[in-house]
Amino acid sequence: MARTTGVVSRGIRCPIIKQGDDLITIVKDSVLEAVKEENIKVRDRDIVGVTEAVVARAQGNYCSCDDIAKDVKAKFGDSTIGLIFPILSRNRFSLILKGIARGAKKIVLMLSYPSDEVGNHLVSLDQVDEEGINPYSDVLTEEEYRKHFGYQKHEFTGVDYVEFYKELITNEDCEAEIIFANNALRILDKTDAVICADIHTRARSKRLLKKAGARIVLGLDELMNKSVDGSGYNAEFGLLGSNKATENTLKLFPRDAQAFAEGLSKALSEATGKNVEALVYGDGAFKDPQGKIWELADPVVSPGFTAGLLGLPNEVKLKYLADNDFAQLKGEELKAAMKDFIAHKNSDLKGQMVSQGTTPRKITDLIGSLCDLTSGSGDKGTPVIFIQGYFDTYADE
């Protein structure tokens, strides 16, 4: 029978995951129940994705604002802390800021403008242009920012993040100074002890500051990278990838995600007799055209995945072949030529015209983004995603 469908992504409903749960068994049983109820045939190279949130929850990988404060105090002492380039997020950064402020005497908060690194805007580019300000070179005080832009509420959240972040700091009996700049080195005009709160540009920010002579330079990945009084931690990512859990607690990015993915793959493969790939996924890597927000606030899309998901796609562009190599063909003859070309394509198409326009992204980023879009971030109750046909081509039956 000819194949009539391509990639299929399904959300799998699971029990609510709590700390200490045997997550591999729960996911395996949930997938097996779903394929039985829906009469789905499991195939080799099917993929099961599990959201990082339930992996961390099952691990109990949490820390408190007090834990963050103690870590900051141990690493910075009484130094004035320059905290640069945080994203604008109540879920992602507010409790991090609260914890840092609890462990500090003064914070100079340097916000990038007109937007943070993931696209949340303090002000619009048009407003910056109208005020004759150059965001690449101009440094604004809070007073100057207010003079030019007043009080700006975020389009989606309705929050004035300048006011919100300042209150979070001062409510912890910590002195707050806010400046606006896009050059990491400008924080050195205020202090030589710096926390780089940026996510994807953190390595560059650290490098520049250290080269310029900063005394202490740490990223969010270097806070809560070890347990504090028995708390959770993440040795690789620290506070990066964390989310607000309660008013005083953060859920950290999961530990040992690679081992979890491999263990889940083994359990599913043994139960089904098929080679099932697995990954842990967080935020997808895509951009919202309306809000201009780049979704990826996690340090990576997938912190753990099986070996079969490594690499980049090696695909040909069907419309290129149809318009060029096989422009004279139609119907079944065209179909047969396409299938034959795909079946005998080179193992590495990089740089060839026939692959131009295909997506040059890591497979894990593509699959993780598909998982994130399928599961959503609300009340669907599907933290597990079952994907079929991802590696199939037009030539496969």
Side-chain angles (χ1 to χ4, degrees):
M1 182 180 295
R3 292 281 295 277
T4 57
T5 61
V7 180
V8 178
S9 180
R10 299 177 175 91
I12 304 298
R13 291 186 176 180
C14 296
I16 302 300
I17 306 302
K18 304 292 287 185
Q19 182 174 341
D21 284 348
D22 181 354
L23 189 59
I24 286 179
T25 298
I26 291 173
V27 173
K28 180 196 69 174
D29 290 347
S30 298
V31 171
L32 293 178
E33 181 181 2
V35 299
K36 180 181 178 181
E37 289 294 324
E38 301 294 332
N39 196 28
I40 299 166
K41 182 180 179 181
V42 179
R43 305 186 184 99
D44 283 328
R45 301 208 77 188
D46 286 351
I47 305 164
V48 172
V50 182
T51 180
E52 59 82 21
V54 298
V55 179
R57 191 182 305 147
Q59 292 173 343
N61 202 23
Y62 295 84
C63 73
S64 69
C65 290
D66 286 338
D67 296 328
I68 297 171
K70 188 168 184 177
D71 200 21
V72 168
K73 185 70 173 176
K75 292 171 177 174
F76 285 86
D78 291 333
S79 301
T80 294
I81 296 174
L83 182 54
I84 70 170
F85 303 152
I87 65 171
L88 308 175
S89 173
R90 295 168 298 174
N91 177 42
R92 291 286 190 170
F93 191 69
S94 64
L95 286 193
I96 293 176
L97 179 57
K98 185 177 180 180
I100 292 172
R102 191 171 293 181
K105 290 188 173 180
K106 180 179 178 178
I107 289 176
V108 180
L109 182 65
M110 190 167 86
L111 300 175
S112 54
Y113 76 100
S115 70
D116 66 17
E117 68 173 302
V118 297
N120 291 296
H121 279 70
L122 282 172
V123 294
S124 70
L125 273 170
D126 290 338
Q127 288 174 296
V128 170
D129 291 341
E130 289 168 3
E131 294 297 314
I133 293 171
N134 184 344
Y136 299 103
S137 60
D138 292 345
V139 180
L140 305 178
T141 64
E142 183 182 359
E143 181 180 3
E144 290 169 334
Y145 171 86
R146 293 298 188 197
K147 178 182 177 182
H148 286 289
F149 305 114
Y151 285 78
Q152 299 283 329
K153 292 189 176 181
H154 190 276
E155 177 182 4
F156 293 155
T157 65
V159 173
D160 181 302
Y161 278 96
V162 177
E163 181 178 56
F164 178 54
Y165 280 179
K166 186 172 184 178
E167 286 183 356
L168 281 174
I169 297 170
T170 57
N171 286 344
E172 296 298 325
D173 294 323
C174 178
E175 184 181 349
E177 180 180 352
I178 299 181
I179 61 174
F180 304 81
N182 291 298
N183 182 345
L185 299 183
R186 299 310 297 264
I187 196 64
L188 297 180
D189 298 334
K190 301 290 184 177
T191 179
D192 61 359
V194 186
I195 295 175
C196 299
D198 41 346
I199 304 165
H200 307 292
T201 57
R202 64 188 185 276
R204 179 175 185 267
S205 296
K206 291 182 199 178
R207 174 175 56 81
L208 292 173
L209 288 163
K210 289 175 181 178
K211 185 177 180 181
R215 180 172 54 90
I216 305 173
V217 181
L218 297 178
L220 291 183
D221 54 324
E222 295 166 290
L223 296 175
M224 298 308 303
N225 56 349
K226 295 181 180 179
S227 180
V228 174
D229 297 334
S231 73
Y233 67 96
N234 189 301
E236 183 177 5
F237 295 117
L239 287 170
L240 290 177
S242 62
N243 293 87
K244 182 178 180 180
T246 70
E247 291 303 317
N248 197 51
T249 308
L250 279 165
K251 176 198 66 59
L252 301 173
F253 220 41
R255 301 192 302 270
D256 305 319
Q258 185 67 31
F260 174 84
E262 291 171 356
L264 176 60
S265 173
K266 181 180 179 182
L268 287 165
S269 297
E270 289 175 350
T272 62
K274 301 295 182 180
N275 174 28
V276 179
E277 306 286 357
L279 81 161
V280 177
Y281 68 92
D283 280 345
F286 47 83
K287 186 170 183 176
D288 167 27
Q290 173 63 31
K292 304 178 181 64
I293 298 169
W294 183 32
E295 176 69 10
L296 186 56
D298 286 327
V300 292
V301 173
S302 176
F305 49 86
T306 47
L309 302 180
L310 280 168
L312 306 174
N314 188 56
E315 300 174 345
V316 300
K317 199 75 170 179
L318 295 187
K319 64 182 181 182
Y320 177 85
L321 291 173
D323 290 342
N324 292 273
D325 297 52
F326 307 135
Q328 76 282 7
L329 302 180
K330 293 182 179 181
E332 289 299 317
E333 190 179 8
L334 174 59
K335 182 178 180 181
M338 285 283 196
K339 288 187 174 184
D340 183 70
F341 189 98
I342 294 169
H344 297 93
K345 66 186 177 183
N346 293 338
S347 60
D348 185 3
L349 295 168
K350 185 177 181 180
Q352 297 185 31
M353 282 300 298
V354 73
S355 68
Q356 184 171 297
T358 58
T359 307
R361 291 166 57 190
K362 292 195 299 183
I363 291 171
T364 51
D365 290 346
L366 292 164
I367 294 172
S369 299
L370 175 59
C371 287
D372 188 31
L373 287 166
T374 303
S375 62
S377 58
D379 57 5
K380 290 183 174 62
T382 54
V384 174
I385 306 301
F386 182 50
I387 298 172
Q388 294 192 292
Y390 191 85
F391 295 103
D392 291 352
T393 72
Y394 187 65
D396 295 315
E397 296 294 346

